[in-house]
Amino acid sequence: MLSTKFLFASAAALAALSGLANAQTNITDHDCASASEYSKCNRNVADRWSSCVRDCRGDGNCIVDCGCDSHQKYINCMAESCWNQVYSCKYQLFVQQYFAICPRAREPIPFWPAPDNAPNRCSCDLGKVTQTTLSSRNQQIKCMKDVTDHIRDDISSITDLSNIGNGLDIANRASDCACCGASASISAAWDICPHTKPTLAGADMWNLFFPTDLPNLYTSLPNWAWSSCDATLQESTCKNLGFTDTDKFYKPGDYPSNGTSTLYEVGGRVTAPPSGTVLTWSQASATYTVTATGYDRKAVASQSEYRATATDDEAFPSQTSDGAAASLRAGVGAVVGAVVAVVML
């Protein structure tokens, strides 16, 4: 018989993941190169996602797999018929969401992060912020593993109480790992997107990728909290611990001044499929081949004259507001919590 805990966690994951079934429709179809094809593709993915979740009959791992596969197929919809929006803020946020809810998501991902100076790119390089968070998580896990290995080695070498200080040193190193990893992720938002509101740039994203209750990651620090890292970051040298993808490691009480801008697109428009006519990419055991559809002139005409003629670094009207990005991350946070609960059962 399934435990109550499993049923509750599965129900939470089911509800949360089902709520994301239309996530890709955050990109309005009339902005796409082929509006009708994009709308049709999205509907098909959403329908199949819902059916997949129902067929799981409460199996948590199955539900997570449905979410992974559906996000991949939404990416295919973009490559096929909305390739002119793949550098936009909303697509970059969607890929961030994919990494957050899918444990087997791996780079490379089509059109992500957006190349430097890409047309219609997001004003904040959300892809680079997310990449820094992902690499910091991996470096933090390696750092904690090194600490665990040291614990085993040191325990076997302790023959008397005179060596008890080694254990305290190990605990301090574990705290350094946790603080440096979180700081590297948080600091990226200020360093990569200094003019953007930090929460929109991803300053709070580390909570999605560094769940503090994840077993085997914080076992030596059961009461660890980011707010406790002020003193630790004063003493630790994060680069010496293997954190190499960021230059700044801000402390909880010592952030730079906040930016004030929302997210918007800059740099003109995408006039041809960035990947060429045919795109091939892979995730886990799946390999996809996607053919881009033709440019829908009516979709272009429906956009503003300013959008159609903007070039260089002229900014489009704000597309992603505080509420949109914050709502997306809040929804993803609920999903991640449910997914972690299911996977850890």
Side-chain angles (χ1 to χ4, degrees):
M1 178 179 290
L2 293 175
S3 69
T4 303
K5 178 181 178 183
F6 181 87
L7 290 172
F8 176 80
S10 297
L14 174 63
L17 284 167
S18 296
L20 290 175
N22 293 310
Q24 190 60 44
T25 56
N26 284 329
I27 295 177
T28 308
D29 55 6
H30 71 254
D31 285 336
C32 295
S34 183
S36 60
E37 290 298 319
Y38 178 71
S39 178
K40 178 182 177 181
C41 187
N42 264 7
R43 284 196 304 271
N44 287 340
V45 175
D47 290 345
R48 291 178 182 178
W49 191 354
S50 297
S51 176
C52 180
V53 169
R54 285 194 301 270
D55 290 344
C56 287
R57 300 185 183 279
D59 183 290
N61 290 324
C62 174
I63 292 170
V64 172
D65 287 342
C66 290
C68 291
D69 293 342
S70 297
H71 276 68
Q72 292 162 19
K73 289 179 173 63
Y74 274 133
I75 291 172
N76 290 342
C77 291
M78 293 293 299
E80 178 188 49
S81 51
C82 201
W83 41 261
N84 58 317
Q85 296 295 323
V86 292
Y87 298 140
S88 69
C89 300
K90 289 183 178 180
Y91 177 77
Q92 299 296 309
L93 282 168
F94 180 77
V95 176
Q96 181 187 105
Q97 172 180 292
Y98 171 51
F99 276 105
I101 75 162
C102 184
R104 55 184 167 88
R106 295 291 183 271
E107 296 185 64
I109 303 295
F111 321 112
W112 183 92
D116 294 338
N117 300 317
N120 200 44
R121 67 189 181 276
C122 191
S123 57
C124 168
D125 196 336
L126 297 168
K128 285 187 177 179
V129 175
T130 306
Q131 275 190 325
T132 301
T133 294
L134 293 170
S135 64
S136 299
R137 176 188 64 179
N138 293 336
Q139 290 165 355
Q140 186 189 52
I141 291 172
K142 182 181 183 302
C143 186
M144 298 294 268
K145 181 180 183 301
D146 291 343
V147 169
T148 302
D149 291 343
H150 281 303
I151 290 175
R152 282 197 293 265
D153 293 343
D154 287 359
I155 287 177
S156 64
S157 67
I158 293 177
T159 57
D160 57 60
L161 292 179
S162 64
N163 289 324
I164 194 65
N166 292 344
L168 298 178
D169 290 341
I170 291 168
N172 289 334
R173 287 202 298 271
S175 180
D176 290 346
C177 291
C179 291
C180 288
S183 179
S185 172
I186 295 168
S187 299
W190 274 271
D191 284 354
I192 295 172
C193 302
H195 304 298
T196 305
K197 292 180 180 180
T199 53
L200 298 182
D204 56 353
M205 189 168 55
W206 73 279
N207 278 313
L208 302 180
F209 294 99
F210 298 92
T212 55
D213 59 348
L214 187 62
N216 304 320
L217 184 56
Y218 296 96
T219 51
S220 58
L221 297 166
N223 297 314
W224 180 86
W226 164 242
S227 59
S228 69
C229 289
D230 267 318
T232 302
L233 288 170
Q234 287 177 348
E235 301 298 331
S236 63
T237 304
C238 296
K239 288 188 180 296
N240 290 342
L241 292 172
F243 294 89
T244 58
D245 291 336
T246 185
D247 293 325
K248 301 288 180 64
F249 295 89
Y250 298 121
K251 297 180 292 185
D254 190 27
Y255 298 125
S257 299
N258 290 347
T260 58
S261 177
T262 58
L263 301 176
Y264 54 91
E265 278 68 47
V266 299
R269 60 191 178 94
V270 179
T271 58
S275 59
T277 305
V278 179
L279 166 71
T280 299
W281 70 292
S282 300
Q283 286 288 282
S285 60
T287 297
Y288 302 103
T289 299
V290 185
T291 301
T293 60
Y295 209 94
D296 186 338
R297 299 290 179 180
K298 293 181 180 179
V300 177
S302 71
Q303 299 177 29
S304 69
E305 194 68 26
Y306 180 75
R307 179 184 288 265
T309 58
T311 57
D312 299 324
D313 280 333
E314 295 179 79
F316 294 154
S318 178
Q319 181 189 45
T320 306
S321 66
D322 300 31
S327 296
L328 184 148
R329 288 206 179 94
V332 175
V335 173
V336 172
V339 168
V340 169
V342 170
V343 173
M344 290 301 123
L345 286 169

